[in-house]
Amino acid sequence: MDIQDIKNRFGIIGNSPLLNRAIDVAKQVAPTDISVLIQGESGSGKEVFSHIIHQLSARRHGSFIAVNCGAIPEGTIDSELFGHEKGSFTGAHEARKGYFEVVDGGTIFLDEVGELPLGTQARLLRVLETGEYIRVGSSKVQKTNVRVVAATNVDVYEAVKKGKFREDLYYRLNTVPLRIPSLRERKEDINLLFRKFIVDFTDKYRSPGIQLTPDAQELLMQYNWPGNVRQLKNIAEQIAVLETERVVDATILAKYLPAEQVGSNLPVFVKDSAKEDFSERDLLYKVLFDMKKDMVDLKKLVVELIQKGVNAGTFEQNSPYINQLYDEVRPAPAYLSEELGTKPTITIRNPNENSNTPDFMSYEAQDAEEVEESLSLVDKESDLIKKALKKHKGKRKAAAQELGISERTLYRKIKDLNLD
Ligand SMILES: Nc1ncnc2c1ncn2[C@@H]1O[C@H](COP(=O)(O)OP(=O)(O)O)[C@@H](O)[C@H]1O
Ligand SMILES: [Mg+2]
């Protein structure tokens, strides 16, 4: 199979030398049983590569399981990975198989491997070296044959230096390092990816096609993409769904890119345009759209939890949306961060503390003000504007940028709302 076949088969877009190199390494290492440590920023495609390695290996008919090590509480991770015996800890009513037992003959993808506690690292090293493991609460040594593909978006070697990650395990996992380039390192692929995602999403939502003007294409290339391909995909989806203009220029596009990064990377990006700018209506649509998406994700999550039982980490492989919930690095748009007033705090009460509360978990809005808070849009708007002006020490240009509106709109609003 050549590199182009692999791209077609796994839906990988891009032609940059760094990406091709990564695919080539994955292809070569796949049929061996060597452990692989995939390094790359969040959203760069590490999980996609773990699938490539499994699928191109002799284990392709065996199971594949993705475990997000960062999402499993320290207290249960050993039992999740290696299983436990009945009665081995409070709540262990039944014996349970761990992933290393279940996946015997297959591949385990250990995402965020740097998050593993030291004790678990020792168990992992043993199973990598000898295939042996012991269930929690047992003394019987068991054997398994599992290939480990690990991934990290942080520099694990830093953790080694700080004593938080075992050096021997690091070298063992890192026999073949596989580095997935960030989007910034392969700018030439950005337009290609964006076009592909736009086509996918306009198809999916049956919306008309979108065209980018040359200045918009340039903006895509200049943006620094902290969330990499995942973020690009996300933004393509928002544009496919929300944008009313079918020809998207840089001014329109800039509204979809989180302001901080536009600001830091593109000093002169806020242009005046003849058209009406980011209106309140657009803003509300966007908020509603995000909320709706979150609701759908939550519903799916609840259904899945009911069907499969709470078992953090296991369901991830089938659930791109859970994956997304886990690693969503998309920074909250400026207008959503801190500005929207106090968040209700969720407290989990100790059941013994208050015998009047039969419910073990109760949600409590701690801030009494929450109820009093004005929900008028006009109030909110003038509030946000005041905050933005204060934050930027009265500099209207910066405040407008943060608010996602043009300077001109900001002037008008200051006048209309009597904020002068
Ligand atoms: N080269 C690529 N071409 C097309 N889609 C990609 C590419 N790389 C990543 N993706 C998509 O981007 C999203 C994030 O990829 P993922 O593998 O989950 O990243 P990571 O595990 O590094 O956070 C997924 O939807 C994936 O399908
Ligand atoms: Mg991931």
Side-chain angles (χ1 to χ4, degrees), residues 223 226 231 234-235 238 255-261 286-287 290 294 328-340 343 391 402:
Y223 187 68
Q231 186 188 13
N234 202 291
I235 280 167
Q238 291 182 34
K255 296 184 302 198
Y256 293 90
L257 304 177
E260 318 87 271
Q261 280 103 15
K286 192 165 153 24
V287 172
D290 284 351
D294 285 349
E328 197 140 48
V329 287
R330 179 170 49 125
Y335 57 83
L336 280 181
S337 59
E338 61 179 80
E339 322 286 14
L340 281 190
K343 290 197 197 86
K391 178 169 169 193
E402 169 115 77

Side-chain angles (χ1 to χ4, degrees), residues 31-58:
T32 73
D33 250 349
I34 300 174
S35 314
V36 182
L37 180 62
I38 308 179
Q39 306 209 34
E41 291 181 11
S42 177
S44 58
K46 297 184 294 296
E47 188 147 357
V48 178
F49 273 81
S50 74
H51 286 284
I52 298 181
I53 293 171
H54 174 67
Q55 288 300 332
L56 299 186
S57 78

